Amino acid sequence: SKIAARIVEAAKAHTRRVDKYIGYGTAGFRTKADLLDHVMFRVGVVSALRSKMVKASIGVMITASHNPEEDNGVKLVDPLGEMLEPAWEVLATEIANLPDDKLSESIVSLIEKSNIDLSTRSSVIVGRDTRQSSPALCQAVIDGIKAVEEDSEIADFGIISTPILHYLVVCTNDGGKYGDPTVDGYVAKLSRAFRTLIGEDNKRGNYEPTLIIDGANGVGAVISEKLIKALDKTLAVNLVNVGPPGILNHDCGADYVKVQQREPLNVSSDCGARCASLDGDADRLIYLYFDEAGMFHMLDGDKIALLFAEHFNDLLKKSQLNLKLGMVQTAYANGSSTNYATKVLNVPVTCTPTGVKFLHHAAQEFDIGVYFEANGHGTTLFSENAVKTIKDAASSGGNAAAQELAGFLNVINSTVGDAISDLLGVEAILHSKGWSIKEWDTMYQDLPNRLLKVSVADRNLVTTTDAERRVVTPEGLQERMDIIVAKFKDGRSFVRPSGTEDVVRVYAEADTQEHADELGKEVAAAVSELCS
Ligand code: NG1
Ligand code: ZN
């Protein structure tokens, strides 16, 4: 057939030079950048076919997020801005790993099996991060799209954050209802909503409108620059770690701060101000500050989630709107945060397995669903009913709390976790409450914890249940862990295979840092032993 011939021809420039299986993990295909050329080409092919099948625009994002500069990756975004449908993850993985000589026949069979109408024009929205490997990999994706259809509609947005790509996909498919499908439209929507929320006086109580943003030497810095202009001094931003290319996430960014539990490069302990660290594709956010004694404090995704939940809870009470607020966390959420939500705020908490798609899905069960991973990735979802109820109450006047909620509808990028949007949300809440970062930080005290990695022969020997909180295999491991955990006050530990790295992750928390470390070490030893 014609398409088979075109794919064979185009694939010659993107041969599979490495015989290594590359899986579709929690965030798409991700590995060393120099292994990815053929994967990108094939993802391009798959994205065009997916677009034809669903008759809508599909997104392709090229990034390896918080991972080092040498890595890269790619993920597909479905028409409503959500992660690619699982059945297609399987298809994409098969196609990505085929030998070259099986590629075209397999594509033809996919077209037949899925009944894809090739006459439907495909539409793909493409974005990439600032990695030096990204332009060439982006070209490989475009070659793949064009191999399916020479005059496919390709919107190549160049360097954008992952959340902007999700936003663009949503806005393109809903005819601009959620916002104008451009980067400027995104910046304008968020900044306008933020300035409305802040109002005339950007100072209030203990809130100071000055913030350091750590751009992780990546796209977060690029977008922040646009944002700073649009905010027009409503928030005074000191932007650090803005490049040069090649040192993405190096000793800075949200993942560095969260994992190392220390400040990023170019933020010093005497600054006294609060700092927001973004990750390499600007979908994760971590706050930090130094107290009067020069001590470092970190406010992670759990603290951000609780700030949102507490404030929305407040606004719902004040506005007397009858909407159901809930939170979604994973097992990595600090025990103190879950406790604060359920015992102090009386907000229900759902626990899901790791991976944004699970959290996002569970958050849709509430009218207002706040979801965050401890690493700083998350957002708030508003049901259709919530949007309507809030807008109605806000427009009828006199209900200030409903009007504030309406402002948050526009500041928050509900399509996916978004560091820039979350940052504006946090700042607007602190302003509303008149809080310093210290007052936010003392909302509850984190239980000391430790995250470890264990390298084993086959990490998939470890299987889990109960949202990853209990081990099923290897046999006997959970029993061993139960005995170890029981020795520690406030002890909690769980293990799971990573979806992005070849390791088993061990999480431990206990009453003191020493105990958390000890607990983690003992559980890691049990994992090593039973997985060998
Ligand atoms: P894995 O490698 O499956 O633990 C990590 C993060 C996830 C998520 C994904 C995607 C931890 C413990 N895990 O997944 O939360 O963000 O990467 O980036 O932080
Ligand atoms: Zn990221």
Side-chain angles (χ1 to χ4, degrees), residues 304-355:
I304 297 170
L306 265 300
L307 182 69
F308 278 108
E310 175 167 272
H311 194 56
F312 292 156
N313 202 30
D314 256 16
L315 291 177
L316 282 180
K317 279 188 194 141
K318 286 184 185 145
S319 62
Q320 299 193 318
L321 296 181
N322 185 20
L323 295 171
K324 194 167 168 232
L325 172 74
M327 283 183 60
V328 186
Q329 301 184 312
T330 71
Y332 289 107
N334 195 278
S336 293
S337 71
T338 316
N339 201 47
Y340 190 85
T342 55
K343 306 270 163 59
V344 181
L345 301 181
N346 273 313
V347 168
V349 178
T350 311
C351 182
T352 72
T354 303

Side-chain angles (χ1 to χ4, degrees), residues 25-28 30 64-67 75 255 258-259 279 281 283-284 330 332 354-356 359 373-377 451 459 468 494 496-503 505 507:
T26 2
R30 199 177 284 185
S65 182
H66 57 281
N67 293 123
K75 72 173 181 186
D255 195 62
K258 170 74 178 159
V259 175
D279 77 335
D281 61 341
D283 63 356
R284 289 193 194 176
T330 71
Y332 289 107
T354 303
V356 183
L359 288 116
E373 293 190 299
N375 61 29
H377 184 103
L451 192 56
R459 72 183 194 274
E468 303 176 327
F494 68 95
R496 54 175 280 279
S498 160
T500 60
E501 282 177 71
D502 192 12
V503 294
R505 291 197 202 283
Y507 178 86

Side-chain angles (χ1 to χ4, degrees), residues 260-318:
Q260 304 300 324
Q261 310 210 7
R262 61 166 304 172
E263 76 280 14
L265 216 62
N266 299 315
V267 174
S268 60
S269 60
D270 52 26
C271 63
R274 60 182 185 285
C275 169
S277 272
L278 319 177
D279 77 335
D281 61 341
D283 63 356
R284 289 193 194 176
L285 174 67
I286 299 285
Y287 268 78
L288 64 110
Y289 73 102
F290 289 90
D291 62 23
E292 301 83 356
M295 216 174 85
F296 168 85
H297 296 265
M298 176 182 74
L299 294 85
D300 65 1
D302 300 335
K303 268 242 159 96
I304 297 170
L306 265 300
L307 182 69
F308 278 108
E310 175 167 272
H311 194 56
F312 292 156
N313 202 30
D314 256 16
L315 291 177
L316 282 180
K317 279 188 194 141
K318 286 184 185 145

